[in-house]
Amino acid sequence: MINLYLFRHGIAAERSDKIHDAERPLIPKGQRRTRLVARRLQQIGLRFDVIMTSPFLRAQQTADILHEEGLGDLPIPLPPLAPTGEFARGMAWLQDWQQNHTTESNVVFVGHQPNLGHWAEQLLWGKVGDRLIVKKAGIIGIKLGNLSHSETNNELFLLTSPKWLP
């Protein structure tokens, strides 16, 4: 069984013509808030078996903070977590993980909105409805059933804004 955490990157620099979207860094407030959330997760005893991240800088920096706060090993880039990433490729990675790990595991995907909200909707209800919004440094937690079956009972167990964690 996989406890999948969908973690949105922290507050990043505003979009501009001067910097490519993939290179927008976390701003100091985004770093602080993400670190507070990470520390709270560490306090409640959470540890990730793997930290997977979008290759975009702001997500990588968020994943690095999770690692620095002792929540898991070094982050690993997963291209489907980029804003243009494909849900099917992310699911293929999860199915492979599930087949190779027979014990319960905690996996975190660090990425972007609306993708994370869409992925959660797809996992929970089988379709995207543009209803779930993950705030910056917010988290959705989904307990995944057997992903190799078409009728999987996935369970939402966490949906929180960062202000509720620290």
Side-chain angles (χ1 to χ4, degrees), residues 28-45:
K29 180 179 180 181
Q31 293 172 0
R32 283 191 306 275
R33 182 173 289 172
T34 301
R35 197 165 299 281
L36 286 172
V37 171
R39 286 178 181 160
R40 179 65 184 128
L41 295 175
Q42 201 273 341
Q43 287 171 354
I44 63 173

Side-chain angles (χ1 to χ4, degrees), residues 4-26:
L4 176 64
Y5 294 83
L6 302 172
F7 195 110
R8 185 175 177 191
H9 65 78
I11 302 167
E14 293 293 323
R15 295 176 191 262
S16 82
D17 295 334
K18 297 178 182 176
I19 187 167
H20 188 274
D21 186 46
E23 296 303 318
R24 290 192 299 128
L26 294 181

Side-chain angles (χ1 to χ4, degrees), residues 3 14 40-41 61 83-84 88 104 109 120 157:
N3 297 313
E14 293 293 323
R40 179 65 184 128
L41 295 175
Q61 290 175 321
T84 56
E104 186 169 330
F109 278 5
F157 67 86

Side-chain angles (χ1 to χ4, degrees), residues 87-135:
F87 175 75
R89 289 183 61 208
M91 283 301 299
W93 186 93
L94 281 169
Q95 287 173 327
D96 185 57
W97 177 271
Q98 192 173 61
Q99 288 174 356
N100 292 304
H101 296 82
T102 56
T103 60
E104 186 169 330
S105 57
N106 294 319
V107 173
V108 64
F109 278 5
V110 180
H112 311 269
Q113 183 65 23
N115 295 40
L116 295 180
H118 289 170
W119 285 31
E121 291 173 340
Q122 192 73 21
L123 287 165
L124 293 167
W125 303 298
K127 62 181 180 177
V128 173
D130 284 322
R131 302 284 184 205
L132 287 178
I133 297 171
V134 185
K135 295 286 191 181

